[in-house]
Amino acid sequence: MSGPLGRILAQVIVAGGATLGRAMVAAYGRALQNAQKAGIDREVARNVRRAEKITLEEARSILNVTEGPMYEAASSSSSASSSSSGGGGGGDQSQQEQPAQNLPCDPDELSRRYLHLFYANEENGSFYIQSKVYRAKERLLMDFPEDVRRAIELTIEQEEEMRKAAKKREEEEEAARAAAEEEKRREAEEAKMKAEAKGAEEEEKPR
Protein backbone atom coordinates (compact mmCIF):
# COMPACT_ATOMS: atom_id res chain seq x y z
CA MET A 1 0.00 0.00 0.00
CA SER A 2 1.46 3.39 -0.99
CA GLY A 3 0.79 6.97 0.03
CA PRO A 4 0.00 8.30 3.53
CA LEU A 5 -1.85 5.14 4.57
CA GLY A 6 1.14 2.96 3.75
CA ARG A 7 3.53 5.20 5.66
CA ILE A 8 1.32 5.24 8.74
CA LEU A 9 0.84 1.46 8.78
CA ALA A 10 4.58 0.95 8.22
CA GLN A 11 5.28 3.04 11.30
CA VAL A 12 2.85 0.89 13.26
CA ILE A 13 4.62 -2.35 12.22
CA VAL A 14 7.98 -1.23 13.62
CA ALA A 15 6.40 -0.31 16.94
CA GLY A 16 6.84 -3.20 19.38
CA GLY A 17 5.98 -4.51 22.79
CA ALA A 18 3.03 -3.32 24.81
CA THR A 19 2.66 -0.13 22.80
CA LEU A 20 1.84 -1.94 19.54
CA GLY A 21 -1.90 -2.20 20.15
CA ARG A 22 -2.26 1.45 21.09
CA ALA A 23 -0.15 2.52 18.12
CA MET A 24 -2.34 0.51 15.73
CA VAL A 25 -5.51 2.12 17.07
CA ALA A 26 -4.02 5.60 16.74
CA ALA A 27 -2.66 4.90 13.27
CA TYR A 28 -6.01 3.47 12.19
CA GLY A 29 -7.75 6.70 13.12
CA ARG A 30 -5.11 8.82 11.39
CA ALA A 31 -5.35 6.65 8.30
CA LEU A 32 -9.07 7.26 7.97
CA GLN A 33 -8.63 10.99 8.54
CA ASN A 34 -5.89 11.18 5.92
CA ALA A 35 -8.01 9.20 3.49
CA GLN A 36 -10.77 11.78 3.77
CA LYS A 37 -8.56 14.88 3.75
CA ALA A 38 -6.30 13.74 0.93
CA GLY A 39 -9.24 12.62 -1.21
CA ILE A 40 -7.98 9.03 -1.47
CA ASP A 41 -10.26 6.74 -3.42
CA ARG A 42 -13.09 5.27 -1.37
CA GLU A 43 -11.91 1.80 -2.25
CA VAL A 44 -8.65 2.42 -0.38
CA ALA A 45 -10.49 3.67 2.68
CA ARG A 46 -12.79 0.67 2.44
CA ASN A 47 -9.82 -1.70 2.34
CA VAL A 48 -8.51 -0.19 5.57
CA ARG A 49 -11.77 -1.30 7.18
CA ARG A 50 -11.94 -4.67 5.40
CA ALA A 51 -11.94 -6.58 8.70
CA GLU A 52 -15.35 -5.12 9.55
CA LYS A 53 -17.57 -7.65 7.84
CA ILE A 54 -21.29 -7.01 8.21
CA THR A 55 -24.25 -9.27 7.62
CA LEU A 56 -27.16 -8.63 5.29
CA GLU A 57 -29.41 -7.82 8.24
CA GLU A 58 -26.86 -5.39 9.67
CA ALA A 59 -26.62 -3.69 6.28
CA ARG A 60 -30.40 -3.31 6.15
CA SER A 61 -30.40 -1.91 9.66
CA ILE A 62 -27.68 0.67 8.87
CA LEU A 63 -29.57 1.97 5.84
CA ASN A 64 -33.00 1.43 7.43
CA VAL A 65 -34.36 -0.64 4.54
CA THR A 66 -36.43 -3.82 4.47
CA GLU A 67 -36.40 -6.92 2.29
CA GLY A 68 -37.36 -6.16 -1.28
CA PRO A 69 -39.97 -7.62 -3.64
CA MET A 70 -39.74 -10.85 -5.62
CA TYR A 71 -37.61 -10.63 -8.73
CA GLU A 72 -37.37 -12.92 -11.73
CA ALA A 73 -34.54 -12.42 -14.19
CA ALA A 74 -35.72 -11.13 -17.57
CA SER A 75 -33.51 -13.69 -19.30
CA SER A 76 -35.70 -16.57 -18.10
CA SER A 77 -38.45 -16.02 -20.67
CA SER A 78 -35.98 -15.49 -23.51
CA SER A 79 -34.10 -18.65 -22.53
CA ALA A 80 -37.33 -20.61 -22.54
CA SER A 81 -38.24 -19.32 -26.00
CA SER A 82 -34.85 -20.16 -27.47
CA SER A 83 -34.92 -23.64 -25.93
CA SER A 84 -38.41 -24.46 -27.22
CA SER A 85 -37.63 -23.17 -30.72
CA GLY A 86 -34.47 -25.30 -30.85
CA GLY A 87 -36.44 -28.51 -30.27
CA GLY A 88 -35.41 -31.17 -27.80
CA GLY A 89 -33.77 -28.54 -25.58
CA GLY A 90 -35.94 -29.08 -22.54
CA GLY A 91 -32.95 -30.02 -20.41
CA ASP A 92 -31.07 -26.83 -21.36
CA GLN A 93 -34.13 -24.74 -20.55
CA SER A 94 -34.30 -25.99 -16.97
CA GLN A 95 -30.59 -25.28 -16.53
CA GLN A 96 -30.75 -21.75 -17.93
CA GLU A 97 -33.83 -20.61 -16.05
CA GLN A 98 -33.22 -19.05 -12.65
CA PRO A 99 -35.85 -19.16 -9.90
CA ALA A 100 -37.46 -15.97 -8.68
CA GLN A 101 -35.93 -14.52 -5.55
CA ASN A 102 -36.53 -11.79 -3.04
CA LEU A 103 -34.28 -8.80 -3.58
CA PRO A 104 -32.26 -7.78 -0.51
CA CYS A 105 -34.21 -4.51 -0.50
CA ASP A 106 -36.08 -2.20 -2.86
CA PRO A 107 -33.55 -0.79 -5.39
CA ASP A 108 -34.99 2.74 -5.34
CA GLU A 109 -35.11 2.74 -1.55
CA LEU A 110 -31.47 1.65 -1.39
CA SER A 111 -30.39 4.49 -3.70
CA ARG A 112 -32.36 7.09 -1.75
CA ARG A 113 -31.28 5.97 1.69
CA TYR A 114 -27.63 5.60 0.74
CA LEU A 115 -27.37 9.00 -0.92
CA HIS A 116 -29.23 10.75 1.92
CA LEU A 117 -27.17 9.20 4.72
CA PHE A 118 -23.83 9.40 2.93
CA TYR A 119 -24.07 13.09 2.04
CA ALA A 120 -25.79 14.10 5.27
CA ASN A 121 -22.81 12.73 7.17
CA GLU A 122 -20.41 14.37 4.73
CA GLU A 123 -21.88 17.72 5.72
CA ASN A 124 -21.63 16.80 9.41
CA GLY A 125 -18.04 15.64 8.99
CA SER A 126 -18.63 12.07 10.20
CA PHE A 127 -16.35 9.97 8.02
CA TYR A 128 -16.82 6.93 10.28
CA ILE A 129 -20.59 6.87 9.69
CA GLN A 130 -20.02 7.53 6.00
CA SER A 131 -17.82 4.44 5.82
CA LYS A 132 -20.46 2.32 7.57
CA VAL A 133 -23.12 3.55 5.17
CA TYR A 134 -20.87 2.85 2.19
CA ARG A 135 -20.08 -0.68 3.39
CA ALA A 136 -23.76 -1.38 4.04
CA LYS A 137 -24.60 -0.34 0.48
CA GLU A 138 -21.81 -2.54 -0.88
CA ARG A 139 -23.02 -5.49 1.18
CA LEU A 140 -26.58 -5.17 -0.10
CA LEU A 141 -25.42 -4.84 -3.69
CA MET A 142 -23.63 -8.18 -3.38
CA ASP A 143 -26.99 -9.98 -3.17
CA PHE A 144 -28.65 -8.22 -6.10
CA PRO A 145 -28.82 -9.84 -9.54
CA GLU A 146 -26.15 -8.37 -11.79
CA ASP A 147 -28.51 -6.39 -14.02
CA VAL A 148 -30.28 -4.81 -11.04
CA ARG A 149 -26.99 -4.09 -9.30
CA ARG A 150 -25.67 -2.28 -12.36
CA ALA A 151 -28.83 -0.20 -12.60
CA ILE A 152 -28.53 0.82 -8.94
CA GLU A 153 -24.86 1.71 -9.33
CA LEU A 154 -25.65 3.79 -12.41
CA THR A 155 -28.43 5.64 -10.58
CA ILE A 156 -26.14 6.41 -7.65
CA GLU A 157 -23.31 7.47 -9.95
CA GLN A 158 -25.55 9.86 -11.89
CA GLU A 159 -26.91 11.39 -8.68
CA GLU A 160 -23.39 11.84 -7.32
CA GLU A 161 -22.32 13.59 -10.51
CA MET A 162 -25.32 15.90 -10.24
CA ARG A 163 -24.46 16.66 -6.61
CA LYS A 164 -20.84 17.38 -7.52
CA ALA A 165 -21.94 19.71 -10.32
CA ALA A 166 -24.38 21.50 -8.02
CA LYS A 167 -21.71 21.88 -5.33
CA LYS A 168 -19.27 23.27 -7.88
CA ARG A 169 -21.87 25.81 -9.02
CA GLU A 170 -22.51 26.83 -5.43
CA GLU A 171 -18.80 27.29 -4.80
CA GLU A 172 -18.40 29.36 -7.95
CA GLU A 173 -21.41 31.51 -7.05
CA GLU A 174 -20.08 31.98 -3.52
CA ALA A 175 -16.69 32.98 -4.89
CA ALA A 176 -18.34 35.45 -7.27
CA ARG A 177 -20.38 36.96 -4.41
CA ALA A 178 -17.28 37.26 -2.25
CA ALA A 179 -15.40 38.95 -5.10
CA ALA A 180 -18.28 41.37 -5.70
CA GLU A 181 -18.46 42.25 -2.01
CA GLU A 182 -14.71 42.78 -1.88
CA GLU A 183 -14.92 45.06 -4.92
CA LYS A 184 -17.69 47.09 -3.29
CA ARG A 185 -15.70 47.35 -0.08
CA ARG A 186 -12.64 48.51 -2.01
CA GLU A 187 -14.62 51.10 -3.98
CA ALA A 188 -16.22 52.39 -0.78
CA GLU A 189 -12.79 52.65 0.86
CA GLU A 190 -11.41 54.55 -2.13
CA ALA A 191 -14.40 56.90 -2.13
CA LYS A 192 -13.91 57.54 1.57
CA MET A 193 -10.22 58.28 1.09
CA LYS A 194 -10.97 60.69 -1.76
CA ALA A 195 -13.60 62.46 0.31
CA GLU A 196 -11.19 62.80 3.22
CA ALA A 197 -8.46 64.10 0.91
CA LYS A 198 -10.84 66.63 -0.61
CA GLY A 199 -11.93 67.77 2.82
CA ALA A 200 -8.32 68.24 3.87
CA GLU A 201 -7.68 70.35 0.75
CA GLU A 202 -10.69 72.52 1.50
CA GLU A 203 -9.43 73.14 5.02
CA GLU A 204 -6.00 74.16 3.75
CA LYS A 205 -7.42 76.78 1.39
CA PRO A 206 -6.99 80.37 2.67
CA ARG A 207 -10.18 82.03 3.83
PDB file of all heavy atoms in Angstrom, residues 63 65-66 68-69 103-116 141 144 148 151-153 155-156:
ATOM      1  N   LEU A  63     -28.914   1.110   6.833  1.00  0.00           N
ATOM      2  CA  LEU A  63     -29.570   1.975   5.844  1.00  0.00           C
ATOM      3  C   LEU A  63     -31.074   2.108   6.078  1.00  0.00           C
ATOM      4  O   LEU A  63     -31.749   2.837   5.353  1.00  0.00           O
ATOM      5  CB  LEU A  63     -29.321   1.430   4.436  1.00  0.00           C
ATOM      6  CG  LEU A  63     -27.876   1.487   3.949  1.00  0.00           C
ATOM      7  CD1 LEU A  63     -27.747   0.894   2.551  1.00  0.00           C
ATOM      8  CD2 LEU A  63     -27.355   2.913   3.959  1.00  0.00           C
ATOM      9  N   VAL A  65     -33.571  -0.108   5.655  1.00  0.00           N
ATOM     10  CA  VAL A  65     -34.355  -0.637   4.540  1.00  0.00           C
ATOM     11  C   VAL A  65     -34.845  -2.025   4.917  1.00  0.00           C
ATOM     12  O   VAL A  65     -34.321  -2.668   5.832  1.00  0.00           O
ATOM     13  CB  VAL A  65     -33.530  -0.705   3.236  1.00  0.00           C
ATOM     14  CG1 VAL A  65     -33.132   0.686   2.782  1.00  0.00           C
ATOM     15  CG2 VAL A  65     -32.286  -1.578   3.415  1.00  0.00           C
ATOM     16  N   THR A  66     -35.863  -2.496   4.207  1.00  0.00           N
ATOM     17  CA  THR A  66     -36.427  -3.821   4.465  1.00  0.00           C
ATOM     18  C   THR A  66     -36.247  -4.705   3.236  1.00  0.00           C
ATOM     19  O   THR A  66     -35.856  -4.237   2.164  1.00  0.00           O
ATOM     20  CB  THR A  66     -37.924  -3.713   4.806  1.00  0.00           C
ATOM     21  OG1 THR A  66     -38.606  -3.044   3.727  1.00  0.00           O
ATOM     22  CG2 THR A  66     -38.128  -2.912   6.085  1.00  0.00           C
ATOM     23  N   GLY A  68     -36.704  -6.642  -0.079  1.00  0.00           N
ATOM     24  CA  GLY A  68     -37.362  -6.159  -1.285  1.00  0.00           C
ATOM     25  C   GLY A  68     -38.363  -7.137  -1.858  1.00  0.00           C
ATOM     26  O   GLY A  68     -38.585  -8.226  -1.311  1.00  0.00           O
ATOM     27  N   PRO A  69     -38.955  -6.786  -2.995  1.00  0.00           N
ATOM     28  CA  PRO A  69     -39.971  -7.623  -3.635  1.00  0.00           C
ATOM     29  C   PRO A  69     -39.346  -8.820  -4.354  1.00  0.00           C
ATOM     30  O   PRO A  69     -38.123  -8.926  -4.474  1.00  0.00           O
ATOM     31  CB  PRO A  69     -40.610  -6.662  -4.638  1.00  0.00           C
ATOM     32  CG  PRO A  69     -39.502  -5.721  -5.004  1.00  0.00           C
ATOM     33  CD  PRO A  69     -38.705  -5.537  -3.742  1.00  0.00           C
ATOM     34  N   LEU A 103     -35.416  -9.706  -3.562  1.00  0.00           N
ATOM     35  CA  LEU A 103     -34.280  -8.796  -3.577  1.00  0.00           C
ATOM     36  C   LEU A 103     -33.912  -8.438  -2.139  1.00  0.00           C
ATOM     37  O   LEU A 103     -34.766  -8.437  -1.249  1.00  0.00           O
ATOM     38  CB  LEU A 103     -34.634  -7.532  -4.354  1.00  0.00           C
ATOM     39  CG  LEU A 103     -34.923  -7.710  -5.849  1.00  0.00           C
ATOM     40  CD1 LEU A 103     -35.336  -6.379  -6.459  1.00  0.00           C
ATOM     41  CD2 LEU A 103     -33.724  -8.284  -6.584  1.00  0.00           C
ATOM     42  N   PRO A 104     -32.661  -8.140  -1.876  1.00  0.00           N
ATOM     43  CA  PRO A 104     -32.259  -7.783  -0.509  1.00  0.00           C
ATOM     44  C   PRO A 104     -32.988  -6.561   0.027  1.00  0.00           C
ATOM     45  O   PRO A 104     -33.179  -6.416   1.230  1.00  0.00           O
ATOM     46  CB  PRO A 104     -30.751  -7.529  -0.627  1.00  0.00           C
ATOM     47  CG  PRO A 104     -30.447  -7.494  -2.069  1.00  0.00           C
ATOM     48  CD  PRO A 104     -31.518  -8.197  -2.802  1.00  0.00           C
ATOM     49  N   CYS A 105     -33.387  -5.663  -0.869  1.00  0.00           N
ATOM     50  CA  CYS A 105     -34.206  -4.505  -0.499  1.00  0.00           C
ATOM     51  C   CYS A 105     -34.714  -3.877  -1.795  1.00  0.00           C
ATOM     52  O   CYS A 105     -34.329  -4.295  -2.883  1.00  0.00           O
ATOM     53  CB  CYS A 105     -33.411  -3.483   0.333  1.00  0.00           C
ATOM     54  SG  CYS A 105     -32.079  -2.685  -0.578  1.00  0.00           S
ATOM     55  N   ASP A 106     -35.579  -2.885  -1.667  1.00  0.00           N
ATOM     56  CA  ASP A 106     -36.075  -2.201  -2.856  1.00  0.00           C
ATOM     57  C   ASP A 106     -34.945  -1.372  -3.468  1.00  0.00           C
ATOM     58  O   ASP A 106     -34.299  -0.584  -2.762  1.00  0.00           O
ATOM     59  CB  ASP A 106     -37.249  -1.289  -2.484  1.00  0.00           C
ATOM     60  CG  ASP A 106     -37.812  -0.570  -3.689  1.00  0.00           C
ATOM     61  OD1 ASP A 106     -38.639  -1.155  -4.412  1.00  0.00           O
ATOM     62  OD2 ASP A 106     -37.402   0.584  -3.928  1.00  0.00           O
ATOM     63  N   PRO A 107     -34.674  -1.512  -4.763  1.00  0.00           N
ATOM     64  CA  PRO A 107     -33.554  -0.789  -5.386  1.00  0.00           C
ATOM     65  C   PRO A 107     -33.642   0.728  -5.240  1.00  0.00           C
ATOM     66  O   PRO A 107     -32.639   1.384  -4.929  1.00  0.00           O
ATOM     67  CB  PRO A 107     -33.642  -1.212  -6.859  1.00  0.00           C
ATOM     68  CG  PRO A 107     -34.312  -2.543  -6.828  1.00  0.00           C
ATOM     69  CD  PRO A 107     -35.299  -2.471  -5.706  1.00  0.00           C
ATOM     70  N   ASP A 108     -34.840   1.295  -5.461  1.00  0.00           N
ATOM     71  CA  ASP A 108     -34.990   2.743  -5.340  1.00  0.00           C
ATOM     72  C   ASP A 108     -34.783   3.202  -3.906  1.00  0.00           C
ATOM     73  O   ASP A 108     -34.186   4.259  -3.653  1.00  0.00           O
ATOM     74  CB  ASP A 108     -36.378   3.168  -5.828  1.00  0.00           C
ATOM     75  CG  ASP A 108     -36.542   2.990  -7.329  1.00  0.00           C
ATOM     76  OD1 ASP A 108     -35.518   2.982  -8.037  1.00  0.00           O
ATOM     77  OD2 ASP A 108     -37.690   2.839  -7.789  1.00  0.00           O
ATOM     78  N   GLU A 109     -35.273   2.399  -2.964  1.00  0.00           N
ATOM     79  CA  GLU A 109     -35.109   2.741  -1.553  1.00  0.00           C
ATOM     80  C   GLU A 109     -33.629   2.712  -1.163  1.00  0.00           C
ATOM     81  O   GLU A 109     -33.148   3.567  -0.420  1.00  0.00           O
ATOM     82  CB  GLU A 109     -35.905   1.776  -0.683  1.00  0.00           C
ATOM     83  CG  GLU A 109     -35.926   2.153   0.793  1.00  0.00           C
ATOM     84  CD  GLU A 109     -36.755   1.202   1.633  1.00  0.00           C
ATOM     85  OE1 GLU A 109     -37.031   0.080   1.158  1.00  0.00           O
ATOM     86  OE2 GLU A 109     -37.103   1.563   2.760  1.00  0.00           O
ATOM     87  N   LEU A 110     -32.907   1.731  -1.675  1.00  0.00           N
ATOM     88  CA  LEU A 110     -31.471   1.649  -1.394  1.00  0.00           C
ATOM     89  C   LEU A 110     -30.750   2.891  -1.900  1.00  0.00           C
ATOM     90  O   LEU A 110     -29.940   3.485  -1.177  1.00  0.00           O
ATOM     91  CB  LEU A 110     -30.890   0.393  -2.050  1.00  0.00           C
ATOM     92  CG  LEU A 110     -29.361   0.269  -2.046  1.00  0.00           C
ATOM     93  CD1 LEU A 110     -28.817   0.319  -0.624  1.00  0.00           C
ATOM     94  CD2 LEU A 110     -28.924  -0.995  -2.754  1.00  0.00           C
ATOM     95  N   SER A 111     -31.039   3.298  -3.131  1.00  0.00           N
ATOM     96  CA  SER A 111     -30.387   4.486  -3.695  1.00  0.00           C
ATOM     97  C   SER A 111     -30.690   5.721  -2.864  1.00  0.00           C
ATOM     98  O   SER A 111     -29.788   6.503  -2.530  1.00  0.00           O
ATOM     99  CB  SER A 111     -30.844   4.696  -5.140  1.00  0.00           C
ATOM    100  OG  SER A 111     -30.514   3.589  -5.953  1.00  0.00           O
ATOM    101  N   ARG A 112     -31.965   5.903  -2.519  1.00  0.00           N
ATOM    102  CA  ARG A 112     -32.364   7.094  -1.754  1.00  0.00           C
ATOM    103  C   ARG A 112     -31.719   7.122  -0.384  1.00  0.00           C
ATOM    104  O   ARG A 112     -31.165   8.143   0.033  1.00  0.00           O
ATOM    105  CB  ARG A 112     -33.883   7.145  -1.620  1.00  0.00           C
ATOM    106  CG  ARG A 112     -34.638   7.486  -2.903  1.00  0.00           C
ATOM    107  CD  ARG A 112     -36.069   7.873  -2.594  1.00  0.00           C
ATOM    108  NE  ARG A 112     -36.773   6.813  -1.881  1.00  0.00           N
ATOM    109  CZ  ARG A 112     -37.463   5.839  -2.472  1.00  0.00           C
ATOM    110  NH1 ARG A 112     -37.511   5.787  -3.793  1.00  0.00           N
ATOM    111  NH2 ARG A 112     -38.077   4.915  -1.760  1.00  0.00           N
ATOM    112  N   ARG A 113     -31.801   6.006   0.336  1.00  0.00           N
ATOM    113  CA  ARG A 113     -31.279   5.966   1.694  1.00  0.00           C
ATOM    114  C   ARG A 113     -29.754   6.138   1.711  1.00  0.00           C
ATOM    115  O   ARG A 113     -29.208   6.848   2.552  1.00  0.00           O
ATOM    116  CB  ARG A 113     -31.663   4.647   2.365  1.00  0.00           C
ATOM    117  CG  ARG A 113     -33.150   4.472   2.590  1.00  0.00           C
ATOM    118  CD  ARG A 113     -33.703   5.526   3.517  1.00  0.00           C
ATOM    119  NE  ARG A 113     -33.049   5.463   4.830  1.00  0.00           N
ATOM    120  CZ  ARG A 113     -33.127   6.421   5.745  1.00  0.00           C
ATOM    121  NH1 ARG A 113     -33.802   7.530   5.488  1.00  0.00           N
ATOM    122  NH2 ARG A 113     -32.527   6.276   6.914  1.00  0.00           N
ATOM    123  N   TYR A 114     -29.089   5.486   0.789  1.00  0.00           N
ATOM    124  CA  TYR A 114     -27.630   5.596   0.744  1.00  0.00           C
ATOM    125  C   TYR A 114     -27.196   7.035   0.477  1.00  0.00           C
ATOM    126  O   TYR A 114     -26.353   7.589   1.191  1.00  0.00           O
ATOM    127  CB  TYR A 114     -27.055   4.670  -0.327  1.00  0.00           C
ATOM    128  CG  TYR A 114     -25.614   4.996  -0.644  1.00  0.00           C
ATOM    129  CD1 TYR A 114     -24.605   4.669   0.256  1.00  0.00           C
ATOM    130  CD2 TYR A 114     -25.271   5.661  -1.819  1.00  0.00           C
ATOM    131  CE1 TYR A 114     -23.281   4.993  -0.013  1.00  0.00           C
ATOM    132  CE2 TYR A 114     -23.951   5.979  -2.089  1.00  0.00           C
ATOM    133  CZ  TYR A 114     -22.966   5.643  -1.184  1.00  0.00           C
ATOM    134  OH  TYR A 114     -21.660   5.971  -1.448  1.00  0.00           O
ATOM    135  N   LEU A 115     -27.768   7.640  -0.563  1.00  0.00           N
ATOM    136  CA  LEU A 115     -27.373   9.001  -0.919  1.00  0.00           C
ATOM    137  C   LEU A 115     -27.677   9.988   0.204  1.00  0.00           C
ATOM    138  O   LEU A 115     -26.870  10.867   0.514  1.00  0.00           O
ATOM    139  CB  LEU A 115     -28.079   9.422  -2.210  1.00  0.00           C
ATOM    140  CG  LEU A 115     -27.592   8.711  -3.483  1.00  0.00           C
ATOM    141  CD1 LEU A 115     -28.575   8.925  -4.626  1.00  0.00           C
ATOM    142  CD2 LEU A 115     -26.198   9.182  -3.867  1.00  0.00           C
ATOM    143  N   HIS A 116     -28.848   9.830   0.828  1.00  0.00           N
ATOM    144  CA  HIS A 116     -29.227  10.745   1.915  1.00  0.00           C
ATOM    145  C   HIS A 116     -28.256  10.618   3.087  1.00  0.00           C
ATOM    146  O   HIS A 116     -27.720  11.635   3.572  1.00  0.00           O
ATOM    147  CB  HIS A 116     -30.646  10.443   2.375  1.00  0.00           C
ATOM    148  CG  HIS A 116     -31.023  11.167   3.640  1.00  0.00           C
ATOM    149  ND1 HIS A 116     -31.247  12.527   3.678  1.00  0.00           N
ATOM    150  CD2 HIS A 116     -31.184  10.710   4.921  1.00  0.00           C
ATOM    151  CE1 HIS A 116     -31.528  12.889   4.924  1.00  0.00           C
ATOM    152  NE2 HIS A 116     -31.494  11.805   5.692  1.00  0.00           N
ATOM    153  N   LEU A 141     -25.594  -4.666  -2.248  1.00  0.00           N
ATOM    154  CA  LEU A 141     -25.415  -4.840  -3.693  1.00  0.00           C
ATOM    155  C   LEU A 141     -24.902  -6.238  -4.035  1.00  0.00           C
ATOM    156  O   LEU A 141     -25.187  -6.754  -5.119  1.00  0.00           O
ATOM    157  CB  LEU A 141     -24.446  -3.788  -4.235  1.00  0.00           C
ATOM    158  CG  LEU A 141     -24.983  -2.355  -4.367  1.00  0.00           C
ATOM    159  CD1 LEU A 141     -23.873  -1.425  -4.829  1.00  0.00           C
ATOM    160  CD2 LEU A 141     -26.167  -2.292  -5.320  1.00  0.00           C
ATOM    161  N   PHE A 144     -27.758  -8.559  -4.993  1.00  0.00           N
ATOM    162  CA  PHE A 144     -28.652  -8.216  -6.100  1.00  0.00           C
ATOM    163  C   PHE A 144     -28.222  -8.972  -7.358  1.00  0.00           C
ATOM    164  O   PHE A 144     -27.034  -9.213  -7.571  1.00  0.00           O
ATOM    165  CB  PHE A 144     -28.615  -6.714  -6.388  1.00  0.00           C
ATOM    166  CG  PHE A 144     -29.528  -5.898  -5.537  1.00  0.00           C
ATOM    167  CD1 PHE A 144     -29.070  -5.274  -4.390  1.00  0.00           C
ATOM    168  CD2 PHE A 144     -30.866  -5.758  -5.885  1.00  0.00           C
ATOM    169  CE1 PHE A 144     -29.913  -4.514  -3.605  1.00  0.00           C
ATOM    170  CE2 PHE A 144     -31.724  -4.998  -5.111  1.00  0.00           C
ATOM    171  CZ  PHE A 144     -31.246  -4.376  -3.961  1.00  0.00           C
ATOM    172  N   VAL A 148     -29.698  -5.766 -11.983  1.00  0.00           N
ATOM    173  CA  VAL A 148     -30.279  -4.808 -11.036  1.00  0.00           C
ATOM    174  C   VAL A 148     -29.169  -4.041 -10.334  1.00  0.00           C
ATOM    175  O   VAL A 148     -29.267  -2.823 -10.127  1.00  0.00           O
ATOM    176  CB  VAL A 148     -31.174  -5.523 -10.007  1.00  0.00           C
ATOM    177  CG1 VAL A 148     -31.807  -4.507  -9.053  1.00  0.00           C
ATOM    178  CG2 VAL A 148     -32.254  -6.330 -10.705  1.00  0.00           C
ATOM    179  N   ALA A 151     -27.887  -1.318 -12.506  1.00  0.00           N
ATOM    180  CA  ALA A 151     -28.834  -0.204 -12.603  1.00  0.00           C
ATOM    181  C   ALA A 151     -28.764   0.676 -11.356  1.00  0.00           C
ATOM    182  O   ALA A 151     -28.807   1.916 -11.451  1.00  0.00           O
ATOM    183  CB  ALA A 151     -30.257  -0.749 -12.782  1.00  0.00           C
ATOM    184  N   ILE A 152     -28.637   0.055 -10.182  1.00  0.00           N
ATOM    185  CA  ILE A 152     -28.527   0.819  -8.940  1.00  0.00           C
ATOM    186  C   ILE A 152     -27.241   1.636  -8.933  1.00  0.00           C
ATOM    187  O   ILE A 152     -27.242   2.824  -8.583  1.00  0.00           O
ATOM    188  CB  ILE A 152     -28.566  -0.124  -7.724  1.00  0.00           C
ATOM    189  CG1 ILE A 152     -29.915  -0.829  -7.630  1.00  0.00           C
ATOM    190  CG2 ILE A 152     -28.296   0.650  -6.429  1.00  0.00           C
ATOM    191  CD1 ILE A 152     -29.974  -1.917  -6.581  1.00  0.00           C
ATOM    192  N   GLU A 153     -26.139   1.007  -9.310  1.00  0.00           N
ATOM    193  CA  GLU A 153     -24.855   1.708  -9.330  1.00  0.00           C
ATOM    194  C   GLU A 153     -24.885   2.882 -10.301  1.00  0.00           C
ATOM    195  O   GLU A 153     -24.319   3.951 -10.014  1.00  0.00           O
ATOM    196  CB  GLU A 153     -23.741   0.738  -9.705  1.00  0.00           C
ATOM    197  CG  GLU A 153     -23.451  -0.298  -8.632  1.00  0.00           C
ATOM    198  CD  GLU A 153     -22.463  -1.356  -9.082  1.00  0.00           C
ATOM    199  OE1 GLU A 153     -22.331  -1.561 -10.311  1.00  0.00           O
ATOM    200  OE2 GLU A 153     -21.823  -1.960  -8.211  1.00  0.00           O
ATOM    201  N   THR A 155     -27.586   4.608 -11.179  1.00  0.00           N
ATOM    202  CA  THR A 155     -28.435   5.637 -10.575  1.00  0.00           C
ATOM    203  C   THR A 155     -27.656   6.445  -9.543  1.00  0.00           C
ATOM    204  O   THR A 155     -27.716   7.682  -9.523  1.00  0.00           O
ATOM    205  CB  THR A 155     -29.655   4.990  -9.906  1.00  0.00           C
ATOM    206  OG1 THR A 155     -30.445   4.325 -10.897  1.00  0.00           O
ATOM    207  CG2 THR A 155     -30.517   6.043  -9.210  1.00  0.00           C
ATOM    208  N   ILE A 156     -26.916   5.739  -8.682  1.00  0.00           N
ATOM    209  CA  ILE A 156     -26.136   6.414  -7.651  1.00  0.00           C
ATOM    210  C   ILE A 156     -25.034   7.269  -8.284  1.00  0.00           C
ATOM    211  O   ILE A 156     -24.800   8.412  -7.876  1.00  0.00           O
ATOM    212  CB  ILE A 156     -25.531   5.385  -6.679  1.00  0.00           C
ATOM    213  CG1 ILE A 156     -26.649   4.730  -5.856  1.00  0.00           C
ATOM    214  CG2 ILE A 156     -24.512   6.040  -5.754  1.00  0.00           C
ATOM    215  CD1 ILE A 156     -26.183   3.611  -4.952  1.00  0.00           C
TER     216      ILE A 156
END
